[in-house]
């Protein structure tokens, strides 16, 4: 049984240098966006999803765990942050903290349950758990059911940065994305990340080497869920609402699609994938339901012919780690 | 008490659909090692097939019960031959992702042409024998009023489930099938065409889904997304049952339907979530599921 990401290269100084160069280029390019004419709302949204996809990729690309319910962290953090801002009137930084804490707590509970099964069963459990949460949010009073929480005040971050101004908000979101990205990058290249890769490649062997693999997987799940929650909190400031679409399982499917298109288990793949999918939704909106069909076709095409994804194919061609 | 019996009946009917769908999933998983995410979409296709047969060709319910599963089964076999077979030997997760993509395509296409609202499909009113009007009407059982069609769904799907169980567990063909699951190379060496068997197995599993779709058409309207949300509940059923045995998925399917029905009577707020909550509880106590082998 071949692994999902079968040709990742070992981490050498050259690979690390490559990755840092690409990271710097990405940071500079994204930093220049407000100077160009690109619609900032679109890029901010894509950045939130890019962070989400990166968090998801930490789990599947490096732990071999396909979570099909990652939307639950996005949605939960979104609801927590939105509620804290609107009802409790907290400041943005505290709102984000509440959202991230909510997602973290959720990931502890769901992780504890879901890592008890492996492979596709794990995927099905995460999917079912997120659907459970969907129904809870549908009925719970504080989420306002189908209407969602709307008209969320953006406020002043740390009392200084006015998040109602698009440019300020853009750089805050960008900073959040880059911070999250670096955290994931650091995790992947830590001893913890190495153990995670070992579990992905051959779990029985990792166990026989004395690693308590369940603990590693749980920790990866919590980290991934928490960071996905962070993306959800940031998204509240961009979209100014929190709604059921963010918790529904079709959203989880989109996260998987983003990562698959960009490249499972590549560092920059999820970012590219998120931008591709969000751009597609933005510019193909006129096609209505055909967008779903197109997404399905991309799914099928990726799995059948293009399993490494955009970045994975480039990295494979250049024989570099990206 | 009337309401309790009514909910029990609804639960049994839902249980029939859960059982038929999780049975198909188990059959497919056994041979192809694929969690068929397209199962909900194929269930929906079964219902639409019955709808088209009635409205375009005038073929009624009874023939649709036979024709729709065959048509959708052939569609499934084409899918298997053109796409799924290329995934053999890859990680299981690719099968899940591919079938998820197929589900998106199929559901998207139907949504384009039929919107999201439901199309009606009438309960058949033939054959008319004496005072029987096909499956319409109902009968008074003394303690409750039983709509004939609903009773029919429960009994018919029970028969189909047991027939499938018999086919797989008790016949020679089933023995080949089970042997091929264990060791395809060896079974091939005995001169059995394993790839063809895999294709037929997928067709069988898909046919079961389509059959469930036809059965459900007169009860739940024919809608493009009718399978989308149902399939996740079925996945939860599969996790609870453990997909270890054919009988296990049948029993778990019916049992969970009944439990859901009882919840609807005693505590309606939890009726959408009770299956998922049960899944959590089962996993905490017995991570392999009720009848399951280790994944």
């Amino acid at each position: 049984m071949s692994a999902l990401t079968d040709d990742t290269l070992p981490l050498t100084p050259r690979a690390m240098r490559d990755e840092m160069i690409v990271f710097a280029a990405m940071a500079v390019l994204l930093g220049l966006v407000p100077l160009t004419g690109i619609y900032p709302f679109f890029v901010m949204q894509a950045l939130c999803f890019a962070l989400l996809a990166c968090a998801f990729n930490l789990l599947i690309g490096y732990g071999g765990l396909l979570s099909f319910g990652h939307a639950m962290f996005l949605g939960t953090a979104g609801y927590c942050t939105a509620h804290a801002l609107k009802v409790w009137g907290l400041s943005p930084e505290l709102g984000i903290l509440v959202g991230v804490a909510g997602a973290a707590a959720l990931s502890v509970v769901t992780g504890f349950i879901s890592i008890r099964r492996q492979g596709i069963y794990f995927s099905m459990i995460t999917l079912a758990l997120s659907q459970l949460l969907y129904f809870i949010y549908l009925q719970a009073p504080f989420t306002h059911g189908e209407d969602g929480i709307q008209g969320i005040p953006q406020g002043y971050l740390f009392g200084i940065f006015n998040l109602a101004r698009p440019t300020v908000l853009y750089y805050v979101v960008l900073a959040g994305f880059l911070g999250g990205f670096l955290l994931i990058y650091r995790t992947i290249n830590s001893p913890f990340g190495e153990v995670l890769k070992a579990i992905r490649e051959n779990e029985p062997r990792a166990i026989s080497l004395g690693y308590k693999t369940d603990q590693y997987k749980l920790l990866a799940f919590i980290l991934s869920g928490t960071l996905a929650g962070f993306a959800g909190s940031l998204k509240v400031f961009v979209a100014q609402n929190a709604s059921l679409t963010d918790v529904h399982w079709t959203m989880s499917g989109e996260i998987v699609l983003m990562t698959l298109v960009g490249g499972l288990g590549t560092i920059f793949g999820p970012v590219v994938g998120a931008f591709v999918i969000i751009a597609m939704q933005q510019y193909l909106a006129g096609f209505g339901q055909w967008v779903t069909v197109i997404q399905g076709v991309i799914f099928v095409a990726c799995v059948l012919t293009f399993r490494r994804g955009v970045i994975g194919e480039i990295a494979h061609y250049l024989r570099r780690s990206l | 008490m009337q309401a309790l019996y009514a909910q029990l009946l609804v639960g049994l009917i839902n249980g029939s659909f859960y059982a038929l769908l999780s049975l198909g999933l188990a059959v497919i998983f056994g041979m192809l090692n694929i969690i068929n995410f397209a199962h909900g979409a194929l269930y929906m296709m079964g219902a639409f097939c019955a709808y088209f047969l009635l409205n375009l060709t005038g073929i009624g319910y009874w023939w649709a019960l036979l024709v729709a599963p065959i048509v959708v089964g052939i569609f499934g076999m084409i899918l298997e031959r053109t796409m799924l077979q290329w995934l053999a030997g890859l990680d299981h997760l690719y099968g899940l992702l591919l079938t998820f993509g197929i589900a998106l395509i199929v559901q998207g296409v139907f949504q384009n042409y039929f919107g999201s609202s439901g199309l009606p499909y009438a309960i058949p009113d033939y054959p008319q024998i004496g005072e029987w009007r096909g499956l319409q009407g109902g009968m008074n059982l003394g303690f409750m009023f039983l709509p004939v069609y609903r009773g029919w769904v429960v009994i018919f799907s029970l028969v189909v489930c047991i027939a499938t169980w018999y086919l797989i567990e008790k016949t020679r063909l089933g023995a080949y099938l089970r042997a091929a699951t264990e060791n395809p190379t060896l079974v091939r060496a005995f001169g059995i065409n394993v790839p063809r068997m895999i294709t037929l197995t997928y067709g069988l599993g898909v046919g079961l889904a389509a059959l469930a779709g036809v059965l459900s058409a007169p009860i739940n309207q024919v809608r493009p997304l009718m399978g989308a949300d149902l399939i996740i509940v079925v996945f939860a059923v599969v996790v609870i049952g453990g997909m270890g045995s054919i009988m296990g998925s049948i029993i778990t399917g019916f049992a969970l339907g009944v439990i859901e029905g009882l919840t609807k009577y005693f505590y309606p707020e939890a009726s959408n979530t009770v299956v998922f909550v049960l899944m959590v509880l089962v996993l905490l106590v017995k991570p392999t599921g009720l009848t399951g082998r280790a994944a």
Side-chain angles (χ1 to χ4, degrees), chain B residues 210-270:
Chain B
L211 186 67
V214 180
L215 284 175
S216 118
I219 301 180
N220 315 304
Q221 291 188 319
V222 181
R223 286 178 301 119
L225 291 181
M226 63 193 286
D229 288 325
L230 180 67
I231 191 66
I232 301 182
V233 181
V234 174
F235 281 165
V237 171
V238 165
V239 171
I240 296 172
M243 209 126 82
S245 71
I246 301 293
M247 199 41 114
S249 48
I250 298 172
I251 294 172
T252 324
F254 275 101
L256 286 166
V258 170
I259 292 174
E260 211 180 39
L262 288 176
T263 316
K264 218 169 261 170
Y265 178 74
F266 288 108
Y267 189 59
E269 288 83 359

Side-chain angles (χ1 to χ4, degrees), chain A residues 1 4 116-117 121 139 249, chain B residues 90 94 232 242 283-284 287:
Chain A
M1 200 60 44
L4 280 166
R116 297 167 76 90
R117 296 296 302 266
Y121 281 101
Q139 292 173 353
W249 63 270
Chain B
L90 290 173
Y94 284 121
I232 301 182
L283 282 177
L284 289 178

Side-chain angles (χ1 to χ4, degrees), chain A:
Chain A
M1 200 60 44
S2 71
L4 280 166
T5 47
D6 47 1
D7 51 6
T8 38
L9 298 168
L11 188 74
T12 57
R14 190 181 90 158
M16 214 155 169
R17 196 198 60 209
D18 287 349
E19 286 160 7
M20 290 325 285
I21 291 171
V22 176
F23 177 78
M26 178 178 78
V28 169
L29 276 177
L30 288 172
L32 293 176
V33 163
L35 304 178
T36 67
I38 304 173
Y39 187 40
F41 179 78
F42 157 70
V43 186
M44 281 192 273
Q45 216 192 0
L47 282 175
C48 294
F49 280 105
L51 180 56
L52 180 63
C54 286
F56 167 79
N57 183 43
L58 171 66
L59 207 52
I60 181 163
Y62 298 92
L65 298 166
L66 172 64
S67 158
F68 224 104
H70 246 51
M72 64 181 159
F73 304 117
L74 178 80
T76 300
Y79 277 130
C80 290
T81 302
H83 190 77
L85 292 173
K86 192 173 181 190
V87 181
W88 296 342
L90 294 183
S91 57
E93 62 277 12
L94 288 177
I96 292 176
L97 207 61
V98 171
V100 172
L106 178 68
S107 58
V108 172
V109 177
T110 52
F112 181 72
I113 297 161
S114 53
I115 56 155
R116 297 167 76 90
R117 296 296 302 266
Q118 294 172 337
I120 13 193
Y121 281 101
F122 172 83
S123 311
M124 290 161 67
I125 292 159
T126 48
L127 177 60
L129 285 172
S130 82
Q131 194 66 357
L132 166 69
L133 218 62
Y134 173 83
F135 280 117
I136 292 176
Y137 287 146
L138 183 64
Q139 292 173 353
F142 88 99
T143 60
H144 300 288
E146 306 270 353
D147 299 335
I149 306 178
Q150 300 189 348
I152 295 153
Q154 287 165 312
Y156 286 78
L157 185 71
F158 302 117
I160 311 167
F161 303 109
N162 183 2
L163 297 181
R165 291 181 52 194
T167 315
V168 177
L169 181 61
Y170 178 81
Y171 282 109
V172 169
V173 171
L174 179 60
F177 164 73
L178 292 176
F181 185 91
L182 282 177
L183 181 62
I184 292 170
Y185 182 71
R186 184 75 194 87
T187 308
I188 293 166
N189 292 317
S190 68
F192 171 74
E194 296 298 328
V195 177
L196 219 52
K197 287 174 217 166
I199 294 172
R200 177 193 69 194
E201 299 298 332
N202 192 337
E203 183 162 358
R205 185 176 289 176
I207 293 171
S208 76
L209 288 172
Y211 290 110
K212 294 197 168 76
T213 55
D214 275 359
Q215 288 180 7
Y216 281 89
K217 288 196 287 189
L218 181 59
L219 202 55
F221 192 90
I222 295 170
L223 192 61
S224 173
T226 309
L227 281 166
F230 182 46
S233 293
L234 287 179
K235 190 171 165 293
V236 166
F237 293 95
V238 179
Q240 280 186 278
N241 68 29
S243 67
L244 280 171
T245 26
D246 286 354
V247 209
H248 197 253
W249 63 270
T250 44
M251 178 63 83
S252 300
E254 270 173 35
I255 301 169
V256 180
L257 181 60
M258 288 172 189
T259 316
L260 190 65
V261 168
L264 292 174
T266 61
I267 295 162
F268 296 97
V271 183
V272 173
F275 271 84
V276 170
I277 300 299
I278 297 292
M280 218 182 74
Q281 289 174 347
Q282 180 92 13
Y283 295 109
L284 299 184
F287 289 96
Q289 280 305 328
W290 289 112
V291 176
T292 324
V293 180
I294 295 169
Q295 283 185 343
V297 171
I298 296 178
F299 244 113
V300 170
C302 276
V303 173
L304 285 179
T305 61
F306 193 53
R307 273 186 288 274
R308 293 193 189 95
V310 175
I311 293 295
E313 292 289 349
I314 295 173
H316 183 74
Y317 178 72
L318 297 176
R319 307 199 124 280
R320 298 282 172 103
S321 158
L322 286 173

Side-chain angles (χ1 to χ4, degrees), chain B residues 133-270:
Chain B
R133 288 287 169 270
L135 295 175
Q136 287 186 337
M139 53 176 131
N140 200 340
L141 297 180
F143 56 93
M144 72 174 291
F145 182 78
L146 174 74
V148 173
Y149 186 75
R150 299 186 178 233
W152 154 255
V153 167
V154 174
I155 292 167
F156 182 70
S157 50
L158 202 60
V159 170
V160 171
C161 283
I162 291 180
T164 312
W165 169 81
Y166 186 83
L167 175 74
I168 290 172
E169 298 288 337
K170 299 288 171 198
T171 63
R172 180 171 284 260
L173 181 69
Y176 289 150
L177 213 76
R178 281 175 289 131
T181 325
E182 292 293 321
N183 193 338
T185 330
L186 191 66
V187 174
R188 253 182 133 147
F190 284 121
I192 291 164
N193 189 339
V194 173
R196 186 195 292 160
M197 214 154 80
I198 291 180
T199 310
L200 288 174
T201 310
Y202 192 72
L204 172 70
V206 166
L208 284 170
L211 186 67
V214 180
L215 284 175
S216 118
I219 301 180
N220 315 304
Q221 291 188 319
V222 181
R223 286 178 301 119
L225 291 181
M226 63 193 286
D229 288 325
L230 180 67
I231 191 66
I232 301 182
V233 181
V234 174
F235 281 165
V237 171
V238 165
V239 171
I240 296 172
M243 209 126 82
S245 71
I246 301 293
M247 199 41 114
S249 48
I250 298 172
I251 294 172
T252 324
F254 275 101
L256 286 166
V258 170
I259 292 174
E260 211 180 39
L262 288 176
T263 316
K264 218 169 261 170
Y265 178 74
F266 288 108
Y267 189 59
E269 288 83 359

Side-chain angles (χ1 to χ4, degrees), chain A residues 287-297 300, chain B residues 41-42 44-45 48 52 75 79 83 100-117 119 223-225:
Chain A
F287 289 96
Q289 280 305 328
W290 289 112
V291 176
T292 324
V293 180
I294 295 169
Q295 283 185 343
V297 171
V300 170
Chain B
L42 295 161
M44 175 270 288
M45 282 181 76
F48 264 97
F52 292 142
F75 175 74
L79 284 184
M83 300 184 200
F100 179 68
I102 294 172
L104 285 184
I105 297 174
V106 172
Q107 281 165 0
V109 168
F110 277 84
Q111 259 186 304
N112 264 306
Y113 290 112
F114 301 99
S116 293
S117 53
L119 304 166
R223 286 178 301 119
L225 291 181

